[in-house]
Amino acid sequence: MSREPGAQDGNGKASQVIRIGTRKSQLARIQTDSVAEKLKELYPEVQLEIVAMSTTGDKILDTALSKIGEKSLFTKELENALERNEVDLVVHSLKDLPTSLPPGFTIGAVLKRENPHDAVVLHPKNAGKTLGTLPEKSVVGTSSLRRAAQLKKRFPHLEFKDIRGNLNTRLKKLDEKEDFAAIILAAAGLRRMGWENRVGQVLGPEDCMYAVGQGALAVEVRACDEDILDMVSVLHDPDTVLRCIAERAFLKYLEGGCSVPVAVHTEVKDSQLYLTGAVYSLDGSDSLKETMQTSVASDKQEEDGVDDGAQRVGITARNMPHLAQEAAEKLGVDLAKLLLSKGAKEILTVARQLNDAK
């Protein structure tokens, strides 16, 4: 790198400190620290400073996420800081980032994905049980319409109620009260917090498909900041990038977000990218699910060269062949078109209206 990367100071010189923005929650800090460590290994000469802040989603704890109606609940304040040059990059859970970013921002890195599945955390008195063996009318906590829709259909003997708060808060609500028999959380978050021992059951795709981008960390940067883009682009994990481009393109074409139940499952195997996508009514009784695949083989990429820095559903993946990225994006759009042709729009419209009326 020809000069120290970083923000411009008042004299137009590049400063040597890279400031990383993060939410204040313990999980967000752990995730940000893990990215900072990777950058430190790659660029030992760079000084890193972590700037923590609260977001709207952290402050509104008494309302279901799907009811707040704001797409950038956990990201807006962080992006404001990025825009004002108060920080140089921001670490997010990719699933918190809308499929369309505000102008001037891009996702400069998508890191290797953790287990993207959901996990069941049981009240201590239910240790050893699964969702299938919990007693009739047991209450399961989740703030996700996607989880509730799939699990209501799969486990009709259970009841589902909203539970908000960060991971620590939710676990406390579960353990210290008798309101919930179990709660559903992302397996990745529990693992990052070192709480694998609390996982009673990991839900496979037959029980509950995951959210778009779940389990992956994203580094958001200013789109015009070439130095920082170059710096973070080495953190990209190619398979995760392709899977998440396909997932985000699928969601974007469906116009989905927190307020509708949309779920995915992706896999890269033998140079094929497989995408399963589904939409659900709020109670899970009505659903559409399809799978498509596309080649992301590297042999046809040889003459293709790496990407020119184009954004695909908010992701700039430099150093990666653009034909594979194009194929991933097209796969997401094609699968969304297929579901829409079978009536997905109607299912999602009713789900949105019912959720708004709650």
Side-chain angles (χ1 to χ4, degrees):
M1 201 170 292
S2 58
R3 67 182 179 94
E4 288 289 342
Q8 300 282 314
D9 68 15
N11 304 316
K13 287 182 184 160
S15 67
Q16 306 202 349
V17 180
I18 302 289
R19 293 150 310 168
I20 307 177
T22 177
R23 287 167 64 192
K24 278 183 175 165
S25 77
Q26 188 185 352
L27 177 60
R29 290 301 305 259
I30 287 170
Q31 293 178 166
T32 301
D33 288 347
S34 73
V35 173
E37 276 163 33
K38 287 186 172 71
L39 288 172
K40 200 77 195 148
E41 281 168 28
L42 290 160
Y43 307 105
E45 74 286 358
V46 171
Q47 239 184 304
L48 299 171
E49 187 185 303
I50 291 173
V51 181
M53 55 195 90
S54 290
T55 66
T56 309
D58 295 311
K59 292 168 190 163
I60 306 174
L61 294 177
D62 54 353
T63 311
L65 293 180
S66 59
K67 298 286 290 170
I68 301 168
E70 166 64 72
K71 274 190 177 168
S72 51
L73 273 183
F74 294 112
T75 59
K76 202 173 203 151
E77 284 83 353
L78 296 165
E79 283 172 344
N80 289 346
L82 201 52
E83 191 170 25
R84 292 192 299 258
N85 277 12
E86 289 165 13
V87 296
D88 302 299
L89 52 111
V90 175
V91 178
H92 302 280
S93 292
L94 181 58
K95 73 179 166 73
D96 290 338
L97 278 171
T99 50
S100 298
L101 298 185
F105 300 108
T106 190
I107 297 164
V110 180
L111 285 79
K112 188 172 175 58
R113 192 176 214 166
E114 287 264 5
N115 179 346
H117 295 282
D118 289 316
V120 181
V121 179
L122 295 149
H123 189 286
K125 70 174 186 215
N126 293 315
K129 290 192 167 74
T130 63
L131 290 185
T133 60
L134 280 174
E136 188 87 18
K137 298 266 186 277
S138 290
V139 177
V140 177
T142 174
S143 57
S144 156
L145 296 179
R146 169 190 59 81
R147 290 169 181 152
Q150 293 179 82
L151 296 173
K152 278 175 187 171
K153 171 90 166 151
R154 189 93 168 109
F155 303 100
H157 69 293
L158 301 175
E159 291 183 2
F160 293 87
K161 286 208 172 123
D162 265 325
I163 184 167
R164 283 288 321 278
N166 58 38
L167 282 189
N168 310 56
T169 310
R170 291 189 209 191
L171 279 179
K172 212 169 169 187
K173 284 181 184 174
L174 172 69
D175 291 346
E176 294 180 7
K177 296 181 180 174
E178 298 290 319
D179 298 358
F180 298 102
I183 58 176
I184 313 295
L185 298 167
L190 289 163
R191 207 194 84 74
R192 290 183 187 125
M193 293 285 273
W195 292 340
E196 292 104 320
N197 63 329
R198 289 304 309 266
V199 175
Q201 176 185 5
V202 173
L203 297 169
E206 65 290 342
D207 286 330
C208 192
M209 297 204 305
Y210 42 82
V212 166
Q214 186 162 318
L217 295 182
V219 180
E220 188 179 16
V221 301
R222 291 180 288 272
C224 60
D225 203 334
E226 296 292 328
D227 282 333
I228 298 287
L229 256 174
D230 280 341
M231 183 184 184
V232 301
S233 64
V234 293
L235 299 174
H236 272 308
D237 176 68
D239 280 4
T240 305
V241 169
L242 295 175
R243 289 169 65 187
C244 291
I245 285 176
E247 292 171 19
R248 284 170 65 83
F250 171 71
L251 182 66
K252 184 177 182 178
Y253 201 85
L254 283 178
E255 296 177 355
C258 271
S259 59
V260 288
V262 175
V264 292
H265 182 269
T266 48
E267 192 178 5
V268 177
K269 202 170 157 192
D270 302 326
S271 300
Q272 291 286 311
L273 172 60
Y274 298 84
L275 169 65
T276 301
V279 300
Y280 304 88
S281 59
L282 288 190
D283 64 358
S285 60
D286 205 0
S287 65
L288 283 169
K289 179 163 120 181
E290 295 289 344
T291 303
M292 290 176 81
Q293 68 190 82
T294 190
S295 169
V296 287
S298 52
D299 53 354
K300 69 174 184 189
Q301 311 288 353
E302 297 304 329
E303 71 283 1
D304 166 37
V306 295
D307 205 357
D308 54 357
Q311 269 202 51
R312 286 188 177 78
V313 277
I315 297 171
T316 301
R318 294 177 163 192
N319 318 337
M320 277 186 63
H322 72 253
L323 285 182
Q325 294 182 59
E326 265 170 31
E329 187 173 25
K330 184 175 185 301
L331 178 66
V333 171
D334 287 348
L335 186 64
K337 284 179 176 171
L338 177 62
L339 287 189
L340 288 169
S341 74
K342 293 179 178 238
K345 187 103 181 149
E346 291 69 22
I347 293 175
L348 293 177
T349 300
V350 172
R352 200 175 271 122
Q353 286 167 346
L354 284 173
N355 184 55
D356 289 347
K358 269 189 191 170

